[in-house]
Amino acid sequence: MRKLINILLSGLLVFALWACSEDKMDEINKNINDPTDVASRLIITDVITKSAFTITGSDLAFYASIYLEHNVGIWGQSYSAEIRTNEPISSTTYNNSWNSMYRTLSDVKTIIKKCSEGGDEEGNYHTLGIAQTLNAYNLAILTDLMGDVPWSEALQPGVIYAPKLDKQEDLYVIINQLLDDAIVNLQKETVFPSLGAQDFIYGGDAAKWLKFAYGLKARYAMRLSHRSPAYNKVVEYADKSFTSAAEQCIFSYNGSTTYSPFYRFFTDRDYFGASQSLANKLDERNDPRANIFWKKHPAADGFEFAPNGGPVQVQGRYGISAISNPTAPTYMLSYHEIEFLKAEAYVRQGDNESAKGALKKAITAAFEKVNIGLTADDAEAYFDSEVLPKFNADPLKEVMNQKYIAFFEEEAIEAYNDYRRLKAMGDNVITLENPLNAGNKFPLRYTYGASDVTTNENVSNAYGDGTYVYSENVWWAGGTR
Amino acid sequence: MLTAALNWKINEDFDFNLLVGNELNDVNLKSYTETGQDFNFPGWNHIGNASVVTANESQWANRTVGIFGNLSLSWRSMLYFNATGRNDVVSTMPRDNRTFFYPSVSLSFVASELEPLKNVDWLSFAKLRVSYAEVGQAGNYYDNYFVAPTYSGGFWVGAPIQYPVDGISAYIPSYSLYDPNLRPQNTKSYEFGVDLKFLQNRLGIDYTYSKQNIKDQIFPVPLAGSTGAGQLVMNAGGVTTDVHEIMLYTTPVKTSDFQWDLNFNYTKVTNMVDELAEGVESIFLGGFVTPQVRAGIGNTFPVIYGSTFVRDKSGNIVVVDNPGAWNHGFPQMGEPGVIGEASPDFILNGTTAFTYKSVSLSAVFEWKQGGHMYSGSNGLLDLYGMSAVTEDRESTFIYDGVKPDGTPNDIVRGGPNDPFAVQDLYTNVLSDIDEYYIHENSFVKLREVALRYQLPKNIYKTANIGISLFARNILFWTALRNLDPETSQGNTNMGGSFERFSLPQVTSYGFSLDITF
């Protein structure tokens, strides 16, 4: 009997020890609902989607659209941004975008690590090159809008809680290096299969990503013109980029599982009215797009433009964009932008004949945008009768105003960048009409995100009370940070 | 669970009890969902009728293995000693941090049993208690994982992007990460108490002081966006809670037919954050992007954190002095900071009852003194011009504050030539300043009045019936305008300090019947 009890007791002891051994416990706590690792091709798909939809297409563009007077904020946060009350200085305004940009950059970092030396997809050069290109692209949007931002200490959760800020000047060195690396990698031979349908933009075509990378080199070379002009480089890079709209870097929406952000901003929020100042620029040029850009609000009796800086806060009265539609693409880098970059570079080099050629191509491409629907003939007629006389009078002004108009409304962030750069260079060629701008209420930059302002001392010190957005330019626009 | 118990009556006076045991708790959950869309024809509600079928499965498992012991020793009815110990091994923590032990000891001494005190008339009962306990608690740890991206929130109603997109899926690292060095958290509590009863139990005082130290508290810590992640489940810091509690029982009148009881309960709770893990500035407990409810070092918690008014050094609100501007003479939004403390100074509860023969009338009241809350509803009433303070839109007004040069504000706004001033003030200025939404929420409430009648005789053997009429939540006074401060949301974490679009509390009247056997 005693023996039996002993056996039973030792059996229980063995069972108890086995039941809580570390290996057994690891097995029990294994999360079988979610993968702990996935291939880079499955991660890069959403990097592309977030870069296009969230970062290029949504909040950051909506606010740029207001500051740049592509649209007028007539309700809620947009109205607040229009009348320059809370939104431009609050750290909550761009917080979602701030977090999205860093999360996207973090995903990019994961891909780059996988595809680099020592990673489990070493030799996947094309995915690596695409990731480096998108790294440069998103980091540039981040610093263009916010100035000095965390980078060298960023993206180490649980290791560095409060990353320090990096200077914008240094970030531009990194951006250009990333693009140079991408250009090398995209031209390498690889045994890894193409991204194919996982790549929503180019279907895995490395040659097109290469053109995109060169196009970004051109864009960023122009960006630094106030600091270190290199117009021959702009032309050189632009020549290696897109040669037609078929190659441009756009993200398309299917209108069922994916929707164009400006369209959804109208259906979900209805915060925008048609901009009086943009209409004035079209009127000055008898621009045929004046009949295409806008329509009356479905709830309004007639059509009315919203005055910049002082609309009545009311929905269903002012006209709205007619080019926001469910499938309107997001432009990460358009073919017309490449031609506009060339046109500006030629003008600045004094080569007005080449500039005219590039400008005409740019306007034609802008007329032929899928949601504009004008033809090359329309563009030619307009160019000859309206653009040329103005170009001859002031080439830079006409090039930049045409670019500004062509960027309505998906390319608002780039329009905002151009405006700030031109101001820094002393070229006051684009006229904004919000009367509050005269009282130093033009936001020269975007605030940092609240998630850092509330937890990262380095960022909260730089943020202060947020009013620096009205007084301090970013580095490439002549500021210090 | 297996336990073994030993009872040993050592002698007349000593009693010894020992219990040891172990426990194995194993949970396995599996859930399946099956969703069908786009039925081919109506009337047949079955998955076979759907054109699009999506199925999902999730599984979860957890095991805890515990060994415990309990030892108690008593001497006469005077001295009681108790000690416990427990060791747990849990599956939900990272490897090598799964085992933790926690003991407790307590001692109580009934002084009124001492010979010299036993026959003291005015002292009916006296007890001293002291105890120390630790409690270990595991978190929920996972290896970091990937999820399908989602696109809702922010400006969007619903999700503008939904994977799979044209048959293509994607995965990204989860927004929430887990610290691989996660340790079990430990709570140490000390308690000291005295229970005294006098004059044949007509007067009683209980006093308890307790202190709780939570070390290595496990929190999902919100990370700076620039770290590339959203939050990290980690041992985030230590907090201390000090509690003083006094109970007073009195029976001022007692005759054979009539009795009046009056009891009070006073509590004062102080929560302090002692330390936070390196890199953690504060702990998010709830709220919006702004304002938030947080626990931060050096503060009591919870505190409300959000945008402030621009103020001068002496705390006056500084208004804009910019003649002609739409916000001339109005306050401005300043830096984010602590805008309110949720913890009250004290809470006093009282009950009183008058009993005459079989009828009793009783009342319950509560007084909460101090503490702040965020009242979103009051802010929105002002924003939309629906509150009493926004009623007068025609008179001129001067916003209370100082001008940037420090002199009292004398900028007159409103009146017939400035018709939008009131609207601009409430809709475009104050609505953006979280501090404006902060209100003190002290209150005094009559929670319940009840009248009860107990049948004087049993209706059947030991069965008896009581009938009561009651009214609840009938009278209150509060420092918060328009609303009852107790109608707040998310009370568990946020200490009742957040309210937006909340429904009013109901006043209820009722009738109840109770039967006892």
Side-chain angles (χ1 to χ4, degrees):
Chain A
M1 187 65 196
R2 167 158 293 203
K3 202 174 169 189
L4 189 68
I5 290 173
N6 277 341
I7 291 170
L8 204 62
L9 278 177
S10 37
L12 273 172
L13 193 68
V14 169
F15 173 76
L17 286 175
W18 170 80
C20 61
S21 74
E22 291 288 353
D23 286 344
K24 185 68 198 169
M25 287 301 207
D26 275 350
E27 187 188 318
I28 291 170
N29 203 40
K30 189 169 163 20
N31 175 6
I32 57 173
N33 304 314
D34 304 294
T36 49
D37 195 18
V38 299
S40 66
R41 49 191 279 275
L42 293 164
I43 307 173
I44 204 159
T45 304
D46 196 56
V47 169
I48 290 170
T49 309
K50 273 211 292 283
S51 300
F53 177 86
T54 309
I55 297 164
T56 313
S58 299
D59 303 19
L60 300 172
F62 302 153
Y63 285 102
S65 185
I66 295 164
Y67 304 144
L68 251 288
E69 305 183 3
H70 274 172
N71 278 297
V72 173
I74 52 95
W75 191 261
Q77 288 99 314
S78 297
Y79 175 75
S80 197
E82 184 71 37
I83 63 167
R84 311 287 197 256
T85 161
N86 181 47
E87 256 59 20
I89 60 166
S90 168
S91 66
T92 57
T93 306
Y94 318 107
N95 184 52
N96 290 340
S97 303
W98 171 265
N99 294 338
S100 290
M101 285 190 278
Y102 276 104
R103 286 198 68 190
T104 306
L105 288 166
S106 174
D107 297 349
V108 165
K109 186 182 171 188
T110 306
I111 296 167
I112 289 178
K113 196 175 164 204
K114 274 177 181 291
C115 299
S116 298
E117 210 180 315
D120 48 15
E121 295 180 37
E122 184 176 342
N124 193 350
Y125 297 119
H126 292 177
T127 303
L128 176 62
I130 294 167
Q132 286 165 329
T133 309
L134 291 169
N135 189 341
Y137 177 84
N138 285 300
L139 184 55
I141 292 185
L142 180 64
T143 184
D144 285 344
L145 296 176
M146 284 136 176
D148 293 356
V149 290
W151 176 249
S152 56
E153 291 189 351
L155 312 182
Q156 299 178 55
V159 181
I160 296 180
Y161 290 88
K164 71 171 172 62
L165 302 175
D166 289 49
K167 303 300 292 177
Q168 185 175 64
E169 185 174 5
D170 300 333
L171 293 174
Y172 259 96
V173 174
I174 292 166
I175 289 163
N176 278 310
Q177 185 59 50
L178 281 163
L179 290 171
D180 292 341
D181 293 345
I183 285 166
V184 172
N185 285 316
L186 287 165
Q187 296 178 86
K188 282 187 187 167
E189 292 289 320
T190 177
V191 294
F192 281 79
S194 155
L195 285 174
Q198 294 292 140
D199 170 4
F200 290 145
I201 293 179
Y202 288 134
D205 186 341
K208 292 215 176 96
W209 281 102
L210 182 65
K211 291 193 171 194
F212 176 51
Y214 274 120
L216 291 178
K217 290 280 288 182
R219 176 193 276 183
Y220 302 140
M222 184 62 93
R223 181 88 80 243
L224 304 188
S225 298
H226 174 62
R227 290 288 179 184
S228 50
Y231 304 114
N232 54 338
K233 285 285 178 193
V234 174
V235 175
E236 182 192 323
Y237 295 136
D239 280 340
K240 292 180 181 170
S241 187
F242 313 136
T243 52
S244 78
E247 295 176 339
Q248 64 191 349
C249 188
I250 59 170
F251 187 94
S252 303
Y253 300 94
N254 60 26
S256 59
T257 51
T258 59
Y259 286 91
S260 182
F262 273 90
Y263 171 75
R264 281 295 290 249
F265 192 62
F266 171 69
T267 60
D268 294 2
R269 293 283 159 171
D270 190 9
Y271 282 181
F272 278 163
S275 166
Q276 182 66 61
S277 84
L278 178 59
N280 294 346
K281 292 183 182 63
L282 295 182
D283 287 349
E284 281 167 29
R285 293 172 173 80
N286 294 312
D287 197 308
R289 287 171 289 190
N291 300 318
I292 292 169
F293 278 0
W294 301 289
K295 61 184 177 190
K296 83 172 186 66
H297 191 286
D301 295 329
F303 184 86
E304 187 182 344
F305 282 108
N308 305 87
V312 180
Q313 187 173 197
V314 61
Q315 287 172 305
R317 167 172 164 181
Y318 299 114
I320 56 168
S321 164
I323 66 169
S324 303
N325 68 51
T327 58
T330 293
Y331 291 77
M332 291 170 67
L333 182 65
S334 60
Y335 167 61
H336 50 263
E337 180 177 342
I338 295 296
E339 294 295 346
F340 277 122
L341 285 168
K342 281 201 235 181
E344 183 185 351
Y346 287 135
V347 168
R348 292 193 184 272
Q349 289 173 323
D351 181 357
N352 285 354
E353 276 316 300
S354 302
K356 268 185 222 168
L359 180 59
K360 190 169 176 182
K361 284 184 190 167
I363 293 172
T364 307
F367 268 46
E368 291 176 334
K369 272 173 64 180
V370 58
N371 47 350
I372 301 296
L374 292 169
T375 64
D377 290 345
D378 297 329
E380 182 156 10
Y382 170 69
F383 187 80
D384 292 344
S385 64
E386 303 293 338
V387 179
L388 266 185
K390 285 196 156 55
F391 179 87
N392 291 333
D394 187 341
L396 183 68
K397 184 174 182 180
E398 190 54 15
V399 168
M400 296 321 295
N401 275 281
Q402 283 299 336
K403 190 177 182 187
Y404 171 87
I405 295 168
F407 277 174
F408 179 73
E409 68 185 340
E410 304 90 348
E411 294 162 272
I413 294 175
E414 232 3 69
Y416 177 64
N417 291 335
D418 276 341
Y419 178 82
R420 291 182 297 156
R421 174 174 61 84
L422 291 169
K423 278 281 208 188
M425 297 173 79
D427 299 316
N428 293 318
V429 290
I430 294 170
T431 314
L432 297 182
E433 292 175 14
N434 188 325
L436 297 165
N437 292 342
N440 284 329
K441 284 291 171 104
F442 180 78
L444 300 168
R445 60 201 295 148
Y446 286 15
T447 54
Y448 298 109
S451 69
D452 269 69
V453 171
T454 54
T455 61
N456 180 353
E457 204 181 16
N458 298 310
V459 171
S460 61
N461 289 339
Y463 169 78
D465 62 2
T467 52
Y468 72 112
V469 302
Y470 292 126
S471 57
E472 296 205 40
N473 272 300
V474 299
W475 167 78
W476 54 246
T480 57
R481 60 182 180 122
Chain B
M1 183 152 101
L2 275 177
T3 59
L6 171 70
N7 282 322
W8 182 24
K9 202 156 173 60
I10 303 171
N11 60 31
E12 279 281 286
D13 295 332
F14 272 111
D15 208 352
F16 177 90
N17 263 296
L18 179 69
L19 179 100
V20 291
N22 84 331
E23 184 184 24
L24 191 149
N25 198 335
D26 198 53
V27 183
N28 269 294
L29 291 174
K30 259 191 194 186
S31 69
Y32 300 93
T33 56
E34 184 182 63
T35 312
Q37 276 176 295
D38 299 341
F39 278 15
N40 293 307
F41 60 95
W44 181 38
N45 295 336
H46 188 271
I47 198 76
N49 194 4
S51 311
V52 182
V53 177
T54 41
N56 205 349
E57 174 189 324
S58 76
Q59 297 190 26
W60 185 75
N62 153 17
R63 176 177 294 175
T64 305
V65 180
I67 309 169
F68 53 87
N70 183 355
L71 178 136
S72 52
L73 197 61
S74 63
W75 186 67
R76 294 187 178 163
S77 314
M78 198 187 291
L79 212 51
Y80 299 88
F81 172 79
N82 196 69
T84 65
R86 183 178 170 115
N87 191 78
D88 277 344
V89 183
V90 296
S91 65
T92 59
M93 292 294 286
R95 199 179 173 95
D96 300 328
N97 279 342
R98 290 200 165 107
T99 304
F100 50 100
F101 173 76
Y102 45 102
S104 81
V105 283
S106 70
L107 184 69
S108 62
F109 170 52
V110 182
S112 48
E113 291 287 318
L114 284 173
E115 279 311 319
L117 296 176
K118 231 172 180 170
N119 298 315
V120 177
D121 264 359
W122 49 269
L123 183 69
S124 331
F125 182 75
K127 181 175 168 183
L128 294 169
R129 345 175 226 113
V130 54
S131 70
Y132 168 77
E134 288 186 22
V135 177
Q137 204 179 335
N140 280 315
Y141 171 83
Y142 268 142
D143 287 333
N144 292 324
Y145 54 88
F146 284 72
V147 295
T150 53
Y151 280 80
S152 48
F155 281 129
W156 312 122
V157 178
I161 305 277
Q162 275 177 302
Y163 283 102
V165 174
D166 301 329
I168 300 295
S169 294
Y171 298 93
I172 52 169
S174 166
Y175 152 92
S176 185
L177 302 179
Y178 295 87
D179 181 359
N181 299 313
L182 196 66
R183 298 179 300 277
Q185 73 181 46
N186 185 286
T187 307
K188 288 188 170 71
S189 37
Y190 311 83
E191 188 175 306
F192 166 77
V194 192
D195 302 347
L196 297 170
K197 287 195 166 58
F198 305 99
L199 309 168
Q200 285 80 47
N201 296 332
R202 284 184 57 180
L203 176 65
I205 299 175
D206 295 355
Y207 167 75
T208 307
Y209 168 73
S210 63
K211 188 179 184 77
Q212 271 200 348
N213 276 328
I214 305 180
K215 203 170 160 263
D216 291 336
Q217 182 145 16
I218 298 172
F219 268 114
V221 172
L223 296 178
S226 61
T227 62
Q231 60 177 31
L232 180 66
V233 176
M234 63 183 284
N235 298 101
V239 298
T240 307
T241 305
D242 273 299
V243 184
H244 294 272
E245 187 170 11
I246 301 169
M247 298 275 289
L248 185 69
Y249 312 91
T250 65
T251 308
V253 181
K254 188 174 184 177
T255 68
S256 55
D257 285 340
F258 180 73
Q259 180 170 334
W260 174 29
D261 296 309
L262 184 61
N263 302 331
F264 295 98
N265 180 357
Y266 168 95
T267 39
K268 179 171 171 56
V269 179
T270 314
N271 297 308
M272 285 296 288
V273 179
D274 301 328
E275 52 165 348
L276 289 171
E278 196 198 333
V280 181
E281 297 256 323
S282 65
I283 297 163
F284 174 83
L285 300 173
F288 307 126
V289 172
T290 182
Q292 301 181 339
V293 179
R294 294 184 177 190
I297 203 153
N299 282 126
T300 68
F301 77 87
V303 291
I304 309 166
Y305 187 94
S307 55
T308 58
F309 283 106
V310 172
R311 291 177 185 273
D312 66 9
K313 285 205 177 82
S314 22
N316 301 307
I317 292 175
V318 179
V319 301
V320 176
D321 188 2
N322 183 8
W326 67 276
N327 60 351
H328 182 45
F330 289 167
Q332 319 155 65
M333 184 184 80
E335 292 181 44
V338 172
I339 52 180
E341 297 202 16
S343 310
D345 300 334
F346 65 83
I347 293 174
L348 184 70
N349 281 297
T351 58
T352 185
F354 301 91
T355 311
Y356 178 71
K357 291 186 175 169
S358 317
V359 183
S360 66
L361 177 69
S362 63
V364 180
F365 57 88
E366 179 172 339
W367 172 18
K368 175 173 125 62
Q369 178 58 42
H372 294 95
M373 74 184 294
Y374 169 83
S375 177
S377 299
N378 269 309
L380 291 167
L381 286 171
D382 293 351
L383 168 64
Y384 291 111
M386 300 302 285
S387 59
V389 294
T390 63
E391 210 165 63
D392 177 6
R393 296 157 200 196
E394 281 151 21
S395 312
T396 57
F397 63 92
I398 297 172
Y399 197 88
D400 196 17
V402 297
K403 292 200 281 192
D405 61 10
T407 57
N409 181 24
D410 56 3
I411 299 165
V412 180
R413 293 294 309 263
N417 300 321
D418 188 10
F420 295 112
V422 173
Q423 189 188 348
D424 274 338
L425 176 66
Y426 287 102
T427 308
N428 296 322
V429 177
L430 297 176
S431 65
D432 287 331
I433 301 173
D434 296 325
E435 190 181 341
Y436 178 71
Y437 288 57
I438 300 298
H439 299 265
E440 188 193 323
N441 64 349
S442 299
F443 64 80
V444 179
K445 268 195 178 188
L446 181 58
R447 286 208 184 277
E448 180 177 303
V449 176
L451 184 67
R452 185 168 189 279
Y453 176 69
Q454 172 109 26
L455 288 188
K457 276 183 165 173
N458 290 349
I459 48 161
Y460 175 74
K461 288 187 179 167
T462 60
N464 200 321
I465 291 185
I467 300 164
S468 325
L469 291 172
F470 62 84
R472 288 187 187 138
N473 217 12
I474 28 189
L475 273 178
F476 74 93
W477 171 90
T478 169
L480 177 70
R481 65 179 155 111
N482 298 326
L483 294 165
D484 179 345
E486 289 190 298
T487 59
S488 47
Q489 54 172 245
N491 280 310
T492 41
N493 262 348
M494 304 198 278
S497 60
F498 231 67
E499 173 281 319
R500 196 164 185 265
F501 294 130
S502 51
L503 292 171
Q505 293 274 80
V506 289
T507 298
S508 56
Y509 305 92
F511 163 85
S512 75
L513 194 69
D514 56 276
I515 304 174
T516 51
F517 297 95

